Amino acid sequence: MLTMTTLVASITVFVLAIFLGFELISKVPPTLHTPLMSGANAISGITIVGALLAAGSVSDGDVSTVLGSIAVAVATINVVGGYLVTDRMLGMFRKKDKGNS
């Protein structure tokens, strides 16, 4: 059971995490933003594992299954998008083939 003290503490941590995340991301120079975000998206693979556990949970019934399934879909989109952005970023640094035979 969730007590009022636990709820207030959880909301406080959540709000502080939002402010801290915003401040950190806004201070990152544009040249470093893509590599840092691609690394953060790779961490979303861990989120997929947690979402799979939530989707497979039978203790809470249908609500956890639906929310877990939505979390799996969103985290998968995040991971795939992160890897696509990383590949595109790394493509900018590859040597161009000039076509000389």
Side-chain angles (χ1 to χ4, degrees), residues 78-94:
N78 192 22
V79 169
V80 170
Y83 283 117
L84 290 175
V85 168
T86 302
D87 185 55
R88 186 172 181 182
M89 177 199 63
L90 292 175
M92 295 187 316
F93 296 104
R94 291 189 188 115

Side-chain angles (χ1 to χ4, degrees), residues 15-29:
V15 170
L16 288 174
I18 289 172
F19 285 127
L20 179 64
F22 179 77
E23 286 298 316
L24 286 174
I25 295 299
S26 65
K27 303 286 189 252
V28 173

Side-chain angles (χ1 to χ4, degrees), residues 20-73:
L20 179 64
F22 179 77
E23 286 298 316
L24 286 174
I25 295 299
S26 65
K27 303 286 189 252
V28 173
T31 53
L32 292 178
H33 190 267
T34 302
L36 288 175
M37 290 309 295
S38 64
N41 286 332
I43 295 172
S44 289
I46 299 169
T47 307
I48 293 175
V49 173
L52 285 171
L53 290 173
S57 174
V58 292
S59 63
D60 292 338
D62 294 333
V63 174
S64 65
T65 302
V66 170
L67 291 176
S69 299
I70 292 170
V72 168

Side-chain angles (χ1 to χ4, degrees), residues 6-22:
T6 307
L7 180 64
V8 170
S10 297
I11 291 173
T12 303
V13 168
F14 181 69
V15 170
L16 288 174
I18 289 172
F19 285 127
L20 179 64
F22 179 77

